[in-house]
Amino acid sequence: MAGISGTEDTDKKDDTAQKCTRDKLERPANDTHDMNEAVNMNGGTDSPQSELSDDCPSTENSSQEEGERTTDEDEKKTEIDEKGDKKSNDQEVVLIQDTGFVVKLSIPGGEDFDLAVSSMELVQEIHQVLVDREETCHRTCFSLQLDNVALDNFAELKSIEGLKEGSVVKVVEEPYTIREARIHVRHIRDLLKSVDPSDAYNGADCSSLSFLNTVTGGDILDKKRNKPDSVDCTPPDYIMPNAKERPILPLHPGIKELKGPNCIKVLTYSGWNPPPGNRKMHGDLLYLYVVTLEEKKYHITASTRGFYVNQSTDEEFNPKAAQQKFLSHSLIDLLIQVSPAFKKNFGILLKKRAQKHPFERVPTPYQIYSWMAPQPDHNVDYIRAEDAFSTRLGYEEHIPGQTREWNEEVQTTQELPRKTLPDRLIRERAIFKVHSDFVGAATRGAMAVIDGNVMAINPGEEAKMQMFIWNNIFFSLGFDVRDHYKEFGGDAAAYSAPGNDLQGVKAYFNLDHEGLYTLGTVIIDYRGYRITAQSIIPGILEREQEQSVVYGSIDFGKTIVTNEKYQEILKKTASLLKVRPHKVVNEKGEEVELFTSLECKGIIGNDRRYYVLDLLRTSPPDVNFLPIDLEELSAVMQDHGFPREHRHRLSCLRQELVEAFVEAKYVTFVRHAAINYQHLQMKRQGKVQSDAKAAKAALTNGHCEEEEDKALDEKKENVVTEEDKKLVEVLTNSDQAEQADQVAQIMPGIDVKTLEEDTKDVVKKAAKLVNSLSDTEFNITFNPDVYQAHVKHANPESENMRREKQIVKDAAEFLVVYQIPSLISDCMDHSSSPIDGSTLTEAMHTKGINMRYLGKVAEMLTKYPILSYVYTIAVGELITRAVKHLFKTYMQGVDMMSLSSAVSHFLNCFLGSYTAPHAQLTAEELQGKKARRKNIKKNKAAIFSMDNVEWVSETPKTMWKKIVDEVKDYFYFKLDCDSVDGAMEKYGLQRVSMLREVCRSCGIQILLREYNMESRNKQVFYEDDIVNIFPLVKHIHPKASDAYHFFTSGQAKIQQGLLKEGYDLISEALNLLNNVYGAMHPEVAACLRLMARLNYILGDYGEALSYQQRAVLMSERVQGLDHPNTITEYSHLALYCFANNQVSSSLRLMYRTRYLALLCHGEEHPEVALIDSNIGLILHAVEEYELSLRFLEHALQLNQKFHRKLSLKVAMSYHLVARTHSCRGDFRAALQTEKEAYGIYKQMLGEEHDRTKESSDCLKHLTQQAVVFQKKMNEIYKGEKSITLPPLQIQTPSIASVMETLNAINGIVFVQISPNDLDKIKQQMGQTSMESAPIILDKTNGVDKQNGTTDEKGDTPEENNTEDKENMSKECTSSKCQGDIAEMKAKVMQQSQVPPEVVVANGQ
């Protein structure tokens, strides 16, 4: 909040920085859960608007002076470019004014201290600082007072009279209540286990793991840290190039040191609770029982005044105070008095806790699970035990009244005002908080349902049909109840429907349309079952469904109802979601107009809110996977093997595809209309034919007239100018008089008489070309009910219906013919580079490609050997998904006693080379099961019956046959293998990666140990290796809209070269993200990464390191230790460490990066080439040439494999290898490799290019050295005379020169600028443009955006080798190198594997 600072920073500025960025808006759970206070904050001077506004931005941007803002004195308005935003393009976003000041906090019995605060903060945030601060962390029950007046926890600091710079705020101990005493005991228990990782491994209380500080051997920002005298550069054997070993223990380094000391043996509530009436009259609240490390037993009374030891024993109740009277307001103070061992160990614990970065302690918004865990260390914890067997959900028992009304909370937050930025921040934060709480509660509830801990609301029915309500959440299983989905594919459709429904909920939720409500929805996969958790519409359980539904159909079209209000609301959402209004016919023959799919239902709740649910067909159907006539699809699609059979008929296209398809059609429409119209006008104005052709050719980027239609039909994506768009908007304007005026402005001299005739003809032709549903305008919308056998359309044979069907077919064709090749093209040019199955899935979804097309993607990838690594990942993902499907059915109905045996047997059959693994089940157990199975009568709870023993007979052979069949049946891809060994060999997969993928996708947690998976004579996994099964959770992700606009605007400014403005906007985005999401979120991590990179480009390496450290910690915590984003964050941090002269830390981080990459995908990946180049260069810098050479040569091999032979990246690798050879004195090898580099430069850039010349000079120098060396060696061999070798001209590389090369290979290219210029850039306030605009690297076409020219030659950012007489850093700042920068940019994209950063121009 205002800062979880385990250790106090004397520097106020640092303190403020911690306060703002580390624990922004983290609340104690007892207050955030109180919706009476947290939700109904609708404005007014005392509402916590600012808590959601941007707190203390002065510290986010270290280049500004403390307390300064980028705002003017009142408010500064910044225009935001909002492409595609529904709001006006001219929308202005207000930056909230904020001031910082320092107050003094007076602690009872402790030293006073200063705290920097922000006027926008709440009193609550100071409260949180104290609860977390080392000296005061044991206090919970206190108030903050100014001049003896208690401050309201939810008041903004700026609204408190008399609070100013230097004010003294007193911490005053308050009397306890039972609630406060319970909170205090829980807080003490949490404090005592605050450094214990067991909660993170168990997946409890939103704890998760982070190993950054273990990897770097302490905090890299700690200036007091002991730096080693010598740098230990030796990499572990398992990360050396071509190492075969893939250990998994290093993923969790140093876990033994993570645990803190034990302070107390037992702390629990006493059996003497609750206090009898007479003791309540004396202020007794509750009783505690404590056993200290000295084996002394104490009974403690919690009274209104504090805690004291009483005279009770285990047998006798005596509530009087013990003879030694220690009345302590804090339980910790009392325990320190009675137990010296507690005092000693608690001090050690606090010290260890203080060493942890705050980001290691803050809870994450959603639970992250680790797929590996050490042997569980299960200690006595009565409070944990009490939690497990009560209905507690988080801190909900602290709310007055009953369990939470989830639906009311979800909908109330949606209704909060949204007109101003502070309002929107309050609203978005409330939505996010309620949503993350709901996801947590739904997950716990779903696990309780499957574990048999919740009674069904229809217990008499068969188990598959049972439904559950727990904590005001409705749970249903993913089975076909009452043949509801019989026509759609039965259980397969029932399993898929919740996923589709969630996509629909997401679409409507993102529209955020006032007056329309969706249910809180979470999908949980656990132990083979799929459960949908939903909030409950008020009144739905008291009525029949037929009475409730006022829009849509509940019986697949027999009866269809509608409602005027729903029509009014859904008409607006339909146009935004590209849904076509359409008429359907019910069984009575009545026509009803729908604005959604037929299954969508509208229900008015008792709260008078308009709900939509069953949104499983919000997107158009995917005809490629529907049972339709072959002739329906084009010849191209038939050649691709479509249509294909699928397990269910609920296949829909993704919303991303709909948007991409409509955009592509619109581009075609605009181009065609603009070209034709201007061509017509030229003809009418009497221009000669050649002029018309010339104009047309200019518009079509050089196409001649005859080529025009062909080009349009092929949908070549040419740039559409703003003028074209404007002209087409005018042409489709229905007001003819206004249209004539507007056309006259754009194209003077137009004959208005012919305008109408021309317009109609032009628009009609363009509309026909793109298959528009209207002849007079661009209208591409989708009827979600086409190709649905159960839907009767009003005019099934009409032209409109033909067009509606055609559009759906076109969209499905667009996916296969354009989007999949586009994905492959992105991989070819390395703008997309999947790391594992999850990143491949993400890349496909971004393009709108469903995962059922994965087989098609893999099939297309086989044509591109250069993309063999993507093919390997795709095949791995095919196998993983097939295994996940099998695991689902395999696990259903397995006896709870046999779960670990069943899972270990499953993994043995899948991954082990041992042909006959045995299920660890005794003959008696198996016999008992079979007997029970025979004797059992038809069990209504069959799904949970413990009679599934089929898993015991599974073998590797049968398992792999099922996997191959599943991949073929579901994905239409033929796997050419019949065992794990065959798959690994044929497709280049590695077992550890497959183990990781399968554990993550099936929710299996295995024991942290090494597994010999290649063993052919014994099985790999045993039942003790299965530690846990965790749930897989899918849900929507609420967005921070204003932060997103600031972020994208900041990126745009940076691309324009306005670094200062961009920096300010990104800083602002970070503040807003912190306000909405709190301290921990993947989007905050992404923003931190960009801030780090900006600081690095601006030359502030210290700030870059600080931001990036937080980005790494956050990525580990919220995404996972081995998530692809975490790998990227580690590599960035390594670079910044090197820039800060922390070479040892830099190497350790790079080794960690390489280890994680190997774990995910092995060595055959272009990312490994980049990592190896980085490691090689850093080792080169510390003169470890032999080691350096191994990594650089491996990088060269990979670059040759994954890039063209004449790639500049390959040339750079040759150059680095040559440089290392020459440093070793091996001039012959250096000469050979530099020749290769020279050859590539000469062929690609020409002999006159500077890079080619430099390589030529380098060759001459190396030749000269080699000749001298050889002559001397010959003389020695001949024994002519005793000769001493002359000193070789080998230069030790400078850190600066290595730094520049590192920047080059990582895609960061910028001209050196002086510190004075840097300061000017940082300090200029409100300047709209720099004196000399930076050169921007445009990834797509190498255009110099500074002067609009295209670079013909291009160049690479390599540096000269170290044997040149001038060292690299000197040469790069020479005028020649600076002049070369303009040429560098065109080719640097081929050179780098990450998108290039901004180039900062020198201010000449």
Side-chain angles (χ1 to χ4, degrees), residues 832-887:
S832 174
S833 184
I835 299 291
D836 63 357
S838 65
T839 41
L840 177 63
T841 302
E842 197 178 309
M844 286 176 65
H845 284 170
T846 302
K847 293 280 183 188
I849 305 167
N850 307 77
M851 292 315 290
R852 57 180 167 273
Y853 287 94
L854 182 57
K856 189 71 194 170
V857 171
E859 180 192 311
M860 287 189 177
L861 283 166
T862 54
K863 300 170 190 170
Y864 303 95
I866 203 169
L867 293 180
S868 59
Y869 73 98
V870 188
Y871 177 65
T872 299
I873 291 169
V875 173
E877 184 64 7
L878 282 169
I879 294 172
T880 301
R881 286 178 176 268
V883 168
K884 189 169 84 169
H885 296 169
L886 296 175
F887 184 76

Side-chain angles (χ1 to χ4, degrees), residues 654-658 660-661 814-815 818-827 831-832 840-850:
R654 292 183 67 85
Q655 203 64 36
E656 296 96 331
L657 183 89
V658 170
F661 175 72
F814 177 78
L815 188 156
Y818 284 86
Q819 293 302 86
I820 294 179
S822 169
L823 174 75
I824 292 171
S825 171
D826 285 353
C827 293
S831 57
S832 174
L840 177 63
T841 302
E842 197 178 309
M844 286 176 65
H845 284 170
T846 302
K847 293 280 183 188
I849 305 167
N850 307 77

Side-chain angles (χ1 to χ4, degrees), residues 42-43 49 52 75 87 91-94 96 416-428 1041-1042:
N42 297 355
Q49 297 182 19
L52 302 166
E75 289 176 332
K87 300 171 188 173
Q91 178 183 354
E92 293 182 327
V93 178
V94 181
I96 304 168
L416 290 173
R418 58 176 97 177
K419 287 183 180 174
T420 65
L421 178 59
D423 283 346
R424 285 194 299 277
L425 288 168
I426 291 175
R427 178 175 180 269
E428 286 172 355
S1041 55
D1042 289 290

Side-chain angles (χ1 to χ4, degrees), residues 865-911:
I866 203 169
L867 293 180
S868 59
Y869 73 98
V870 188
Y871 177 65
T872 299
I873 291 169
V875 173
E877 184 64 7
L878 282 169
I879 294 172
T880 301
R881 286 178 176 268
V883 168
K884 189 169 84 169
H885 296 169
L886 296 175
F887 184 76
K888 177 186 74 177
T889 49
Y890 176 94
M891 289 301 292
Q892 286 177 7
V894 170
D895 184 348
M896 284 283 276
M897 286 179 67
S898 311
L899 275 179
S900 56
S901 297
V903 176
S904 61
H905 187 63
F906 182 89
L907 290 176
N908 280 323
C909 292
F910 170 50
L911 281 173

Side-chain angles (χ1 to χ4, degrees), residues 833-836 838-840 842-843 996 1000 1081-1087 1089 1108-1133 1153 1156-1157 1160-1161 1167:
S833 184
I835 299 291
D836 63 357
S838 65
T839 41
L840 177 63
E842 197 178 309
R996 169 184 176 269
R1000 284 162 59 102
H1081 196 274
E1083 288 184 23
V1084 180
C1087 201
R1089 184 201 310 164
Q1108 190 59 32
Q1109 182 200 39
R1110 284 178 270 161
V1112 175
L1113 286 167
M1114 198 174 296
S1115 188
E1116 284 190 312
R1117 292 284 322 279
V1118 299
Q1119 293 180 304
L1121 297 174
D1122 51 357
H1123 190 277
N1125 282 11
T1126 307
I1127 301 175
T1128 306
E1129 306 295 9
Y1130 262 107
S1131 64
H1132 284 209
L1133 186 62
T1153 305
L1156 295 176
C1160 285
H1161 50 62
E1167 285 297 319

